[in-house]
Amino acid sequence: MRTYSLDDVHETRKRRDSWWTVYFVDPVACRVTLPVANHTRLTPNALTVISLVLGLVSAACFATNQLIAGACFFYLSFMIDCVDGKVARLKGTGTAFGLWLDYVGDRVRVVLCAGGLAYGQYTLTGDVSFVVLGAAVAVLDLFRYVNAPQMKRVREAVREERQESGLEPLGPDPLAVDVLTADSPAADPLAADPFAADPFRADAYRPDPFSVDPLEPPERERERMGRGPRPRAFFRFFKRLNRFLARHRVRSHLVSGIEFHAAVFVIAPLAGAWALIPLAAMSGALLLANEVFLIYRLWLFTRRHGVSSSQESREHVLV
């Protein structure tokens, strides 16, 4: 039986990840992965189940107003959820069912923890704002994971139309959102997608809004479309920022789903009940802004490449 080193574990980290994971989770998760991989027979699916159980404990703590304990258990749950992917890549034991389990487990954890926070604070204070908070957190999280595969389907529809029309293929899409085949052990997303990261987590496929975008119209096309020249200084700044962050494995956007969960379920509970609504509102607004920006880029993509307006095409994309 092979004995793995810490360097082997480090090789399983995402090429680029959220700043919360890079600085506050991976340093712990890598060291936990080492003894788990070397001294136990725990499978990635078993670790996912353990993560879900810890998430349920976190929700129960929130429901009983044990905010610090709830935050600690949520952190442990997320950390173990990172360990399962590392073990899967280290041993090559990822499965298609593991994708479903990880995906559903994450959604269950977030919904139950949001409900636990809302219930605990409402019973304590009688303030309906906490009920609204719990519902908003759950809806926003679910929206992200409904929106991602739909954006992917739109892009695929555009590509299929171009191929059927005999137009030049678009080539690899570095902004593809793939939550359906990411956990397949046969897939190698890093080979085709330099911005993809962890093939065992759906969050790895959230696009990076400040990455170099080959789908952006060229200058002459922007002028033909009645748009002004691209603000070169603005894009140069973000390209430099993107390269700097890439050297540290950090994705460019400030708030993704991971930072949103960390703000609501770890940072705010540790700060105290007074911080729940302000931090959730601020992080939720930033997350929603990121989603709107991605949708805007999708609109630019479809506008440039001319998705058909026929009923048949709309049904293909939306059904």
Side-chain angles (χ1 to χ4, degrees), residues 294-313:
L294 295 177
I295 294 170
Y296 169 70
R297 290 182 67 169
L298 179 66
W299 175 76
L300 290 179
F301 173 80
T302 58
R303 184 183 179 189
R304 178 186 178 190
H305 296 293
V307 175
S308 171
S309 60
S310 68
Q311 182 65 29
E312 180 180 354
S313 295

Side-chain angles (χ1 to χ4, degrees), residues 41-91:
R41 295 185 177 181
L42 288 172
T43 65
N45 288 353
L47 290 167
T48 301
V49 171
I50 293 173
S51 171
L52 178 57
V53 171
L54 291 171
L56 297 178
V57 174
S58 174
C61 291
F62 287 141
T64 55
N65 294 305
Q66 304 297 318
L67 296 183
I68 294 178
C72 292
F73 276 110
F74 188 92
Y75 174 87
L76 287 174
S77 175
F78 180 76
M79 187 270 293
I80 296 298
D81 200 21
C82 292
V83 171
D84 66 5
K86 290 176 171 53
V87 170
R89 290 187 296 282
L90 202 59
K91 295 185 174 183

